[in-house]
Amino acid sequence: MLCTDRTPELDPCGHCQSCRLLGEARSAHFGLFSRLTETEYGFHPINCAKVTAQELDELEVEGELYSEKTIVYLDEIAILRKRRLEERLLKLIDESEATWIASAISVQRKKGKRKGEWTERLSTEMRGRFPIKAGTSLPHPDDLCQWIEARCSEWNIRIHDPSETLPLMAKRTDQRVGYVIHMLAYAATKSTRDLSPSEVKGFNLDTTD
């Protein structure tokens, strides 16, 4: 986003100052935020599904974690336990002066499932490191349908057979707003800016586009 010389396709150029700083920070978590924003604050976003043990060691050595002006964000923190990397962070979180923010998904076991069939969850030890917790829940299908109608009106998207299409969108997406947005984005790319029940039924929810 900070690239000053984007291509016509809006890709980063790879050679301006912002791109060079980003490239340097990928191999060491140190300094990207403060250098690009010219502030005293450091920000380290970490993808726990991909971070390596070496990168966590670099974070400890170079991340200025003993400063109150450092913020560390751990995305999908629960997976660290499965990857046997959680122990590397417990003591570091305890001893550092940085502000640690983490996100995780915990889905309740459905009826009929055997005991232990859960998604990734935070360990008791890791949960204890985060005294302030905030959670969200999925919207009710009826509320989601009203929200979709409002967005379609705002974004000039026409829904064919709303009584069928809207509940189908809620069902196909498991009431996940992000997936609904993907469907609406698809509709917005069409010259007709519309969405039909058949398109919702055949929509590829796994697309990365």
Side-chain angles (χ1 to χ4, degrees), residues 24-90:
E24 293 172 10
R26 279 185 178 144
S27 59
H29 291 279
F30 178 66
L32 172 63
F33 185 83
S34 58
R35 291 163 69 185
L36 289 180
T37 59
E38 297 183 353
T39 69
E40 297 179 4
Y41 287 86
F43 176 62
H44 305 294
I46 298 175
N47 182 347
C48 295
K50 296 182 179 180
V51 68
T52 65
Q54 179 181 348
E55 288 173 330
L56 291 179
D57 290 341
E58 290 173 352
L59 175 66
E60 179 178 5
V61 174
E62 302 177 347
E64 294 189 352
L65 299 183
Y66 300 95
S67 167
E68 294 181 351
K69 293 184 177 181
T70 297
I71 301 170
V72 184
Y73 171 58
L74 303 167
D75 185 32
E76 297 294 346
I77 188 176
I79 203 171
L80 288 177
R81 186 180 187 186
K82 183 177 181 181
R83 300 183 63 214
R84 302 179 184 277
L85 293 175
E86 186 178 272
E87 290 292 333
R88 289 178 176 266
L89 281 181
L90 293 177

Side-chain angles (χ1 to χ4, degrees), residues 77-82 86 104-109 117-124 126-127:
I77 188 176
I79 203 171
L80 288 177
R81 186 180 187 186
K82 183 177 181 181
E86 186 178 272
I105 297 174
S106 179
V107 180
Q108 291 185 348
R109 179 166 55 92
E117 291 189 6
W118 293 79
T119 58
E120 295 293 335
R121 301 178 68 194
L122 283 177
S123 68
T124 302
M126 187 60 81
R127 284 202 303 269

Side-chain angles (χ1 to χ4, degrees), residues 68-180:
E68 294 181 351
K69 293 184 177 181
T70 297
I71 301 170
V72 184
Y73 171 58
L74 303 167
D75 185 32
E76 297 294 346
I77 188 176
I79 203 171
L80 288 177
R81 186 180 187 186
K82 183 177 181 181
R83 300 183 63 214
R84 302 179 184 277
L85 293 175
E86 186 178 272
E87 290 292 333
R88 289 178 176 266
L89 281 181
L90 293 177
K91 184 178 179 182
L92 190 59
I93 293 174
D94 285 340
E95 295 181 351
S96 76
E97 298 294 330
T99 297
W100 295 77
I101 303 172
S103 62
I105 297 174
S106 179
V107 180
Q108 291 185 348
R109 179 166 55 92
K110 294 182 179 180
K111 293 181 179 180
K113 294 283 188 179
R114 293 191 303 274
K115 184 178 180 180
E117 291 189 6
W118 293 79
T119 58
E120 295 293 335
R121 301 178 68 194
L122 283 177
S123 68
T124 302
E125 294 80 10
M126 187 60 81
R127 284 202 303 269
R129 266 67 177 183
F130 294 90
I132 302 176
K133 300 175 178 65
T136 60
S137 59
L138 296 175
H140 188 278
D142 293 344
D143 295 332
L144 181 57
C145 289
Q146 293 180 11
W147 183 86
I148 296 172
E149 280 191 299
R151 297 292 75 71
C152 289
S153 175
E154 179 183 356
W155 299 336
N156 194 28
I157 295 173
R158 185 164 65 96
I159 298 292
H160 294 278
D161 301 320
S163 61
E164 177 185 358
T165 304
L166 295 177
L168 182 60
M169 292 176 71
K171 182 178 180 180
R172 276 230 60 208
T173 60
D174 290 328
Q175 296 131 257
R176 297 185 183 276
V177 176
Y179 286 148
V180 172

